[in-house]
Amino acid sequence: MLGLKLRPEFRGKRLKGTAIELSNESNTGATQIAAAEFLEITYPTHDLLKGIEAVGPNQGRPVVVIGERGLGKSHLIGALFHAVHEPASTGAWLNAWATTLNDPAIGAIPLRSGMLVIGESLHRQRYKFLWDLLFEQHPHGAYVRGKWEAWGVQRQTSLRTS
């Protein structure tokens, strides 16, 4: 037996809030929790393993996730986020599954390291412009914002007319 476990929200009598959120105000989204915690509820599907390979070192392939509602797209994106953001935890997860499934190739998937990953759900509309997200979340964002403004780049204050 593989020891698969359902997420707690699936174990109740009602299936409320079962969708994976990448981020939320309570900091419990897929990209806001530790990789080990998220990967505990993640299984190495063919799509996920191919996605991890596609974002690995020396790979420049785009990853496109398409599908109907409820097929696991957000979960896949969350796992890819952790694969790049926390490669040590992801490597341990891959090695554990390699042992469980008796497939050493899973544990041999190379992981990219030393990357800054910015993950944000843009549908929440917290940012008016994409560069505001980058200025806020990049470690040198405040400096770059200062340079940007020093160059005299005018930012629109509103896209709406009264």
Side-chain angles (χ1 to χ4, degrees):
M1 182 89 178
L2 295 177
L4 304 179
K5 297 179 199 169
L6 285 174
R7 293 187 352 227
E9 59 267 35
F10 284 101
R11 289 187 227 140
K13 292 181 181 185
R14 300 184 76 207
L15 292 177
K16 184 178 178 186
T18 56
I20 294 281
E21 291 180 292
L22 296 177
S23 62
N24 58 39
E25 288 81 21
S26 58
N27 290 327
T28 58
T31 62
Q32 296 169 309
I33 61 175
E37 182 181 347
F38 183 76
L39 293 172
E40 234 175 62
I41 61 165
T42 304
Y43 310 109
T45 64
H46 179 74
D47 289 339
L48 176 55
L49 296 176
K50 288 298 180 191
I52 292 172
E53 288 175 351
V55 299
N58 304 315
Q59 298 296 320
R61 297 183 289 178
V63 176
V64 178
V65 182
I66 299 172
E68 298 294 323
R69 178 182 169 95
L71 294 179
K73 296 177 302 294
S74 294
H75 195 104
L76 180 95
I77 291 168
L80 293 176
F81 171 89
H82 287 299
V84 178
H85 186 70
E86 295 186 48
S89 295
T90 305
W93 175 80
L94 287 169
N95 285 324
W97 277 106
T99 301
T100 301
L101 299 174
N102 196 25
D103 185 351
I106 293 173
I109 296 173
L111 300 171
R112 187 181 294 245
S113 62
M115 300 277 305
L116 169 68
V117 182
I118 297 174
E120 180 67 34
S121 296
L122 295 177
H123 75 278
R124 294 171 52 213
Q125 299 180 359
R126 288 186 48 218
Y127 301 97
K128 181 170 272 202
F129 302 105
L130 183 58
W131 55 77
D132 291 330
L133 166 67
L134 298 173
F135 290 153
E136 181 181 297
Q137 294 194 18
H138 191 278
H140 304 295
Y143 173 78
V144 174
R145 180 188 299 272
K147 294 292 271 183
W148 176 276
E149 292 171 355
W151 287 336
V153 176
Q154 297 295 317
R155 294 182 344 153
Q156 288 181 317
T157 55
S158 177
L159 293 175
R160 292 181 229 140
T161 56
S162 298

